[in-house]
Amino acid sequence: MAPLVSLRDVDFAYEERLVLRRVSFELEAGESIGIVGPNGSGKSTLVDLVDGILRPRAGEVLVNGLPTGKYRRRDMAREVALVPQHFDLDFDLAVREVVEMGAYCRGKGAAACDDAERTLARLGVADLVNRRFSELSGGEKQLVVLAQALMQRAPLLLLDEPASALDVSHQLRLFDLLQELNCGGLSVLCILHDLNLALHYFDKLLVLSDGGVAAFGPPDDVLRPEILEAVYGVRAYMHRHAGRTYLTFSPRLRSKRRGRIHVVCGGGTGAGLMRELVDAGYEVSAGALNALDTDEETGRELGLQMAVEAPFSPVGDEAHAENLELMRAADLVVVTAVPVSHGNARNIGAALEALGEGTPVWADEGVRANDFAGVTDGLADADVRFFDGEADLVAAVLGRDTAATS
Amino acid sequence: MTRIARTGTWPGVLLAAGVLAACLVLALALGPVSLSIGRLWELVTAGPVQGDLENAIFWQIRMPRVLVASLVGAALAVAGVVLQDLFLNPLTDPYVTGVSSGAALGATIGIVLHLSNLPWTTVLAIVGGLGTLVLVWMAARRRGRIDIFVLLLAGVTISYLASAVVTVLMIRASQDMYAIVYWLMGSFSGRGWPDVEIALFAIPFMIVPLFFTREMDILLQGEKRALELGVEVERTKRLLLVTAGVLTALAVSVSGIIGFVGLVVPHIVRLLVGPGHRSLLPVSLLVGASMMVVADLLSRTVISPNEIPVGVVTTFVGAPLFVYLLRRGRGV
Amino acid sequence: MSRTRTGRLTAALLLTAVLALGAVALSACGSGDDTASPSASPSSGPITVTDDSGAEVTLEQAATRIVSMAPANTEIAYAIGAGDKMVAGTSYDDYPEEATSLPKIGDFANPSVEKIASYQPDLVLAAGGIQDKLRRRLEELGVKVYVVDPTAYDGAIATIENVGKLAGADAGAAKVTDEMTAAQMEVQASVGDLEKATTFLEIYNKPLMTAGSGTFIDDMIMIAGGENIGAEAGSGFPNFSTEVLVQKDPTVYIADSGSMSEPGDIEKRAGFSELTAVKDGRVYVIDDNLIARPGPRLAEGLKKLAEMIHPEASADQ
């Protein structure tokens, strides 16, 4: 079956400025697709192209297999309804009248008396029906305009940041409603900024960046930290919680790389430190860790380079070699208060080797307390700097740079 | 803010029709020769007859004059509504497209060439007005679309140009200066049945917008939103612009440039019945007619036998009214 | 030798011929004017008169270079025999014939002050009303201005007398004023006893404009035996309601030619079919130059008005 919407190699430019380049994607009937991307990446332009408001400079935009240019406005309004982000209404109309405007494309007499009320009720704002539109709050206006669009009864709903003025409860309510409508057969193409909502409410996501398609596919595939970093220029972290994935972000603080630090940890002792160092702008590596170890999971979430060994296995030659490589590439090696046993004793040896090659090594004093393999004395004999607890260690690491630069 | 007719159009329309009827009766009865209601009825039923001075005054002077005034008032009010909502600017009056200046130029040429036989000055005014509409239209076309903003600029520019030419003509033909100035000020003095015939052409153009009330309502949200909701915006704009232009040209050619009615009546009516065009258009039509008929009545009775140009009356009455409306807040 | 002599003779003959022709031409100029000799310059002392704006105008001696700012004033100057002293007029000066060849200083509403001054006139004949501002500017430039703006027929006579004094053409002026006075007396004699006929004088058609009270036209209508219904609309040239016109139903309807109306058209106007004047065929057109210009031709205008207002009086004669 032909897709409901199809874009093929679409270019669009305002005057001379190219806003979209070679954009292609398809929306099948019944799908819900979210459009995300930084400001100025062309999202609103794309939506206007789908609705036939704009014509592509190159390529084609097809709705139901027909180019948008071939549609009369009324017919287009019956196929595609758009919920804009901004709407102007300086004149003083009643909400009912505004909502009923949506029925225009369906012909004369299409709006039954209570149609408007019913649509508003679905959005949970039936009480607005007799108010004056100009008296409403931003969020209420947004819902009224959505109701107006729903009155078109079009099989495809386009939305341009429909939740931007809504409070959290109304936001979720809105997206739940969209999902409900989608389940009932309504196709949805929605621009939004909130990436977590994007993760959860859409079959597919289209990531636009600088006028081009950076990624298109199921949310989990598309909203990966690497892609997000490339597109948005921020550090993205994925978290798993109660079976769902969440994203958090931190800005890249300094464009200048502060340096590279390798963390020897395990069992959760390094999680906090790794995050702090990453936030502070360091490039962080870790090892050698066992897969399934909590620190390893954190490292994966943070997208760190790590030397990883199979679960429940002692550090093997390969992992050890990799660990050494990472240490050699680092400016500093930090050892947390990780319990040392036969399985990860080689890590301490690697640290000492790195020290011998000139890489400074700092360690948390607590590592000596949990030494079941008896190797940490070697740390004390060598020129290792000890700190009293994670806080001290972190402070020293962060202070180190300022001391060095001041 | 009082709202007379919130639901449905009929209450407002009927009320406005009633007001117009009352104004018409008043205007037909009052004058240097005052007629009682009974006498009025007699004259109306008798029809135009020879040999009766009162009858002659009523049928040949007053009746056509009042009819022309009501048609012109209605035309200007409708043109005002249409243009205000097309330009989405409450300060728009029907003369903003420059059509009135073009009509004024046409009429001035007619006066200067001493073509004082009735049809000629009026015909030249219509030609001037419509010609300006075409010029302004061509100036505002951008890639198949009519750019409203450019239209406004072109209208203002051509207005100034036409006015400058009129001024030159006035100076060159200074013995006609008084006639030209008087024409420009707007008046219904001396308008007879031939003028009524020309003004009747405005009626179909006043009715046309009534078929586009839904589109005009939607256009209040802006052209883009209207496109999204399914309105053929360009086609609708073209139609409405031509309608407003023709209405203005006809009105100005018959009576000169009468200000404020086209600007203020839409706002007054919006305050009374709201911005929905199903009510706004017909009620504005009726209120515009009423206002003009009353203004004309005042213009010919206050300092009789002298006449105040009706444009002066509408400005004197309209200006304070407008300021009052503005001060009441953004109820427009 | 004979050549030189012939040459000298021819030259002498030619010179004589030219001088003779010149003398004949000069005398021909003044031949129609039998006042030329005696009153070439009657007074040698300063001349003081009061003009129609109430201002005193004093000339040290009779004017020799006159500029006119209105067609009426040009007519006056030529009629009293001071035509040879005219150095410039307005672009509307069309009477008498000679006036059309005068240099122009602009039109009635917008004459050029610089141009006027450039002719170095010692007397400028201005009209009233809009030319008032210009009067001050001209006087600042040292030019003497006399305003012609009579409000009655006698006023016109008096002002022509004054102009005659200023131009050193007293006798010529006296001839004109005598004619004008005679016309008035003639008209008064023939219509003075007759009942006044209500009259409307249309100055302009669209808008309908008439001569109000305080105009010499109004005065002339009265002298000619008419009652000017326009007078009740105010002074000057007010507009007039058609309804009131029909209500007043004047006996006589006179349109001046400047309003471009023909009796045929007037009768067809809305509401006019019921007018007594229309039914009785008492609709006339008068040449506006005879009644609108405060000059010598008012005499003719007065007689014509009398004919129109009281045709029965002239029919008797």
Side-chain angles (χ1 to χ4, degrees):
Chain A
M1 220 185 65
L4 188 55
V5 175
S6 166
L7 267 77
R8 297 184 195 150
D9 290 333
V10 167
D11 277 358
F12 186 84
Y14 284 114
E15 309 293 317
E16 291 314 310
R17 192 170 58 91
L18 201 61
V19 169
L20 288 174
R21 57 187 103 232
R22 307 216 59 170
V23 171
S24 302
F25 82 97
E26 283 176 0
L27 178 143
E28 304 286 340
E31 273 189 324
S32 72
I33 298 185
I35 304 179
V36 296
N39 292 333
S41 53
K43 309 192 290 293
S44 294
T45 309
L46 184 60
V47 158
D48 280 344
L49 281 164
V50 172
D51 197 18
I53 305 275
L54 300 171
R55 302 284 161 74
R57 198 169 84 162
E60 26 175 42
V61 179
L62 305 173
V63 170
N64 274 331
L66 265 180
T68 53
K70 293 258 157 66
Y71 278 90
R72 292 187 313 176
R73 288 316 306 169
R74 215 185 201 135
D75 298 328
M76 180 59 91
R78 279 203 279 247
E79 299 296 324
V80 176
L82 198 154
V83 182
Q85 187 184 18
H86 304 290
F87 29 85
D88 251 316
L89 193 56
D90 248 341
F91 289 85
D92 176 41
L93 287 168
V95 165
R96 177 195 298 281
E97 293 169 304
V98 174
V99 173
E100 282 172 354
M101 285 182 190
Y104 170 77
C105 59
R106 289 195 278 130
K108 273 184 120 58
C113 288
D114 53 348
D115 245 1
E117 286 192 63
R118 269 193 282 140
T119 312
L120 287 166
R122 262 195 111 169
L123 299 175
V125 283
D127 55 314
L128 295 180
V129 71
N130 287 318
R131 301 267 304 274
R132 319 302 306 166
F133 187 80
S134 46
E135 290 168 3
L136 301 181
S137 71
E140 289 171 329
K141 283 185 182 169
Q142 208 153 32
L143 289 172
V144 169
V145 176
L146 173 60
Q148 188 186 56
L150 289 174
M151 289 283 280
Q152 290 173 243
R153 307 249 183 97
L156 171 62
L157 189 63
L158 304 175
L159 305 105
D160 193 343
E161 296 190 44
S164 54
L166 298 179
D167 63 47
V168 120
S169 97
H170 278 105
Q171 269 190 21
L172 293 176
R173 205 172 185 164
L174 174 71
F175 283 103
D176 281 336
L177 173 69
L178 286 179
Q179 204 162 51
E180 221 180 282
L181 291 168
N182 180 238
C183 286
L186 180 69
S187 310
V188 174
L189 185 61
C190 178
I191 300 175
L192 67 165
H193 269 320
D194 188 326
L195 296 176
N196 280 305
L197 289 173
L199 259 182
H200 295 127
Y201 281 101
F202 295 93
D203 300 331
K204 291 190 187 148
L205 293 178
L206 179 71
V207 181
L208 284 183
S209 173
D210 203 22
V213 176
F216 179 52
D220 284 332
D221 291 349
V222 147
L223 291 186
R224 307 204 53 76
E226 337 49 284
I227 296 180
L228 290 171
E229 199 165 320
V231 166
Y232 284 96
V234 291
R235 267 253 145 87
Y237 311 106
M238 292 183 84
H239 310 265
R240 283 249 134 68
H241 180 74
R244 296 176 98 171
T245 312
Y246 291 92
L247 289 167
T248 56
F249 304 91
S250 72
R252 268 212 278 254
L253 286 173
R254 276 162 267 263
S255 51
K256 192 172 72 124
R257 244 193 53 188
R258 296 186 79 173
R260 210 177 145 131
I261 301 179
H262 185 86
V263 181
V264 174
C265 55
T269 57
L273 177 65
M274 286 193 285
R275 279 192 209 278
E276 290 237 31
L277 293 178
V278 162
D279 275 352
Y282 289 97
E283 208 175 311
V284 176
S285 57
L289 294 163
N290 290 107
L292 299 185
D293 180 281
T294 37
D295 281 347
E296 190 267 339
E297 270 189 38
T298 306
R300 257 192 299 122
E301 281 175 22
L302 294 171
L304 306 180
Q305 254 193 310
M306 294 184 289
V308 180
E309 186 49 77
F312 312 117
S313 309
V315 177
D317 293 328
E318 232 186 271
H320 181 74
E322 212 188 314
N323 207 13
L324 264 176
E325 279 307 311
L326 291 173
M327 287 189 194
R328 285 191 184 115
D331 304 312
L332 169 70
V333 174
V334 168
V335 180
T336 63
V338 53
V340 179
S341 69
H342 167 67
N344 62 350
R346 284 179 94 173
N347 288 346
I348 304 298
L352 288 170
E353 223 181 290
L355 182 64
E357 288 171 13
T359 313
V361 175
W362 295 357
D364 189 327
E365 282 232 344
V367 72
R368 302 187 64 186
N370 293 324
D371 188 355
F372 301 109
V375 294
T376 54
D377 293 328
L379 291 175
D381 296 334
D383 198 5
V384 170
R385 208 168 141 190
F386 279 96
F387 292 90
D388 187 8
E390 185 183 315
D392 250 11
L393 189 51
V394 169
V397 170
L398 296 177
R400 163 183 182 264
D401 214 18
T402 48
T405 52
S406 60
Chain B
M1 197 170 38
T2 54
R3 199 53 79 81
I4 287 182
R6 283 271 179 98
T7 50
T9 48
W10 289 111
V13 172
L14 288 173
L15 186 64
V19 167
L20 176 61
C23 292
L24 286 172
V25 166
L26 214 64
L28 288 171
L30 296 178
V33 177
S34 278
L35 305 167
S36 66
I37 303 283
R39 182 77 184 114
L40 202 61
W41 183 249
E42 272 175 40
L43 286 168
V44 167
T45 45
V49 286
Q50 306 276 39
D52 180 357
L53 211 65
E54 238 179 29
N55 188 288
I57 291 181
F58 180 81
W59 277 106
Q60 300 201 37
I61 301 180
R62 236 183 246 179
M63 180 65 96
R65 180 171 176 150
V66 167
L67 284 177
V68 169
S70 48
L71 286 168
V72 166
L76 289 175
V78 170
V81 169
V82 167
L83 287 176
Q84 278 177 5
D85 290 345
L86 213 55
F87 284 83
L88 281 181
N89 184 331
L91 288 179
T92 309
D93 73 22
Y95 306 135
V96 89
T97 52
V99 163
S100 55
S101 300
L105 181 56
T108 305
I109 292 176
I111 292 174
V112 161
L113 294 178
H114 292 157
L115 303 170
S116 67
N117 281 328
L118 168 69
W120 276 112
T121 312
T122 313
V123 166
L124 280 172
I126 295 177
V127 167
L130 294 178
T132 311
L133 185 64
V134 168
L135 274 176
V136 158
W137 181 288
M138 292 193 324
R141 263 185 20 148
R142 293 273 183 89
R143 283 176 258 151
R145 279 188 60 234
I146 301 254
D147 187 325
I148 292 287
F149 184 63
V150 173
L151 192 85
L152 184 64
L153 286 178
V156 167
T157 307
I158 292 183
S159 261
Y160 276 118
L161 192 65
S163 297
V165 178
V166 166
T167 307
V168 167
L169 286 174
M170 276 206 291
I171 293 179
R172 297 298 317 223
S174 53
Q175 74 273 24
D176 295 318
M177 201 187 289
Y178 185 82
I180 297 171
V181 168
Y182 199 83
W183 189 94
L184 290 176
M185 283 193 287
S187 158
F188 292 107
S189 151
R191 277 19 181 207
W193 288 103
D195 296 287
V196 174
E197 283 167 30
I198 294 180
L200 283 174
F201 278 102
I203 292 187
F205 290 94
M206 288 191 253
I207 294 185
V208 160
L210 293 174
F211 288 98
F212 288 88
T213 55
R214 291 177 79 195
E215 285 81 352
M216 289 181 72
D217 281 346
I218 295 178
L219 274 166
L220 289 176
Q221 294 190 286
E223 287 186 30
K224 183 165 186 281
R225 190 78 194 118
L227 278 173
E228 291 161 8
L229 287 168
V231 174
E232 293 287 351
V233 168
E234 280 308 304
R235 224 176 47 193
T236 312
K237 255 173 23 184
R238 274 189 258 254
L239 192 88
L240 292 175
L241 268 173
V242 167
T243 305
V246 170
L247 283 172
T248 310
L250 283 171
V252 170
S253 66
V254 157
S255 65
I257 301 183
I258 301 177
F260 266 85
V261 169
L263 176 64
V264 171
V265 167
H267 288 301
I268 296 174
V269 176
R270 266 192 213 102
L271 279 180
L272 297 173
V273 302
H277 290 85
R278 244 164 52 107
S279 302
L280 182 62
L281 277 171
V283 175
S284 293
L285 193 157
L286 295 166
V287 170
S290 308
M291 191 185 258
M292 196 64 98
V293 161
V294 169
D296 179 56
L297 174 64
L298 289 173
S299 86
R300 62 183 155 91
T301 50
V302 170
I303 54 167
S304 179
N306 259 353
E307 287 196 21
I308 310 176
V310 74
V312 171
V313 176
T314 55
T315 306
F316 272 15
V317 170
L321 185 61
F322 194 50
V323 168
Y324 169 71
L325 287 177
L326 285 176
R327 293 202 54 169
R328 268 195 84 178
R330 290 182 65 252
V332 295
Chain C
M1 191 135 112
S2 59
R3 235 204 205 149
T4 340
R5 259 172 134 204
T6 325
R8 274 215 208 121
L9 202 56
T10 321
L13 278 172
L14 276 172
L15 192 57
T16 323
V18 167
L19 283 170
L21 276 169
V24 168
L26 277 171
S27 65
C29 245
S31 68
D33 188 359
D34 57 4
T35 65
S37 25
S39 55
S41 36
S43 40
S44 39
I47 314 164
T48 305
V49 295
T50 311
D51 75 6
D52 289 334
S53 70
E56 236 180 53
V57 184
T58 306
L59 288 185
E60 294 306 310
Q61 52 187 27
T64 53
R65 297 177 63 81
I66 306 179
V67 168
S68 156
M69 283 168 72
N73 302 345
T74 309
E75 281 191 35
I76 294 176
Y78 275 96
I80 62 175
D84 50 342
K85 301 191 179 170
M86 289 291 298
V87 293
T90 75
S91 44
Y92 288 110
D93 294 352
D94 56 0
Y95 190 92
E97 186 81 30
E98 302 95 296
T100 54
S101 54
L102 277 179
K104 309 287 178 237
I105 48 107
D107 66 19
F108 183 79
N110 253 334
S112 163
V113 171
E114 288 74 34
K115 237 185 166 175
I116 296 172
S118 74
Y119 287 102
Q120 293 166 316
D122 40 27
L123 177 64
V124 168
L125 298 173
I130 45 179
Q131 300 197 347
D132 206 27
K133 260 198 319 216
L134 297 166
R135 184 223 190 111
R136 264 165 284 196
R137 297 244 333 257
L138 284 165
E139 283 175 350
E140 280 166 24
L141 293 171
V143 174
K144 296 282 180 187
V145 177
Y146 180 93
V147 171
V148 174
D149 192 16
T151 54
Y153 190 78
D154 326 5
I157 294 177
T159 226
I160 292 177
E161 256 178 52
N162 285 344
V163 172
K165 288 192 196 143
L166 290 175
D170 296 63
K175 190 161 169 287
V176 171
T177 53
D178 285 346
E179 273 175 32
M180 290 174 75
T181 314
Q184 177 177 10
M185 285 173 43
E186 194 187 308
V187 164
Q188 271 171 336
S190 69
V191 306
D193 294 331
L194 298 174
E195 201 182 307
K196 294 243 183 248
T198 50
T199 309
F200 183 82
L201 191 119
E202 174 189 302
I203 299 278
Y204 206 81
N205 159 34
K206 229 185 174 158
L208 188 63
M209 207 161 84
T210 187
S213 58
T215 58
F216 56 84
I217 300 179
D218 176 54
D219 190 40
M220 283 164 65
I221 292 174
M222 190 207 55
I223 298 175
E227 190 185 308
N228 179 20
I229 61 175
E232 65 180 71
S235 58
F237 294 93
N239 58 55
F240 204 85
S241 154
T242 324
E243 259 187 52
V244 177
L245 170 71
V246 172
Q247 187 204 16
K248 297 275 173 195
D249 196 21
T251 315
V252 184
Y253 192 99
I254 307 177
D256 84 2
S257 57
S259 80
M260 304 283 159
S261 309
E262 295 299 315
D265 298 329
I266 296 175
E267 284 158 16
K268 292 206 204 86
R269 280 193 214 147
F272 279 43
S273 55
E274 291 306 314
L275 286 177
T276 308
V278 168
K279 290 198 250 193
D280 292 348
R282 301 290 303 279
V283 177
Y284 312 96
V285 173
I286 191 170
D287 180 358
D288 66 340
N289 292 332
L290 300 178
I291 55 162
R293 292 188 184 178
R297 291 199 279 170
L298 286 183
E300 206 185 317
L302 184 61
K303 288 196 226 169
K304 280 239 157 52
L305 278 176
E307 274 172 35
M308 292 173 179
I309 296 174
H310 286 289
E312 67 275 18
S314 20
D316 290 344
Q317 286 168 355

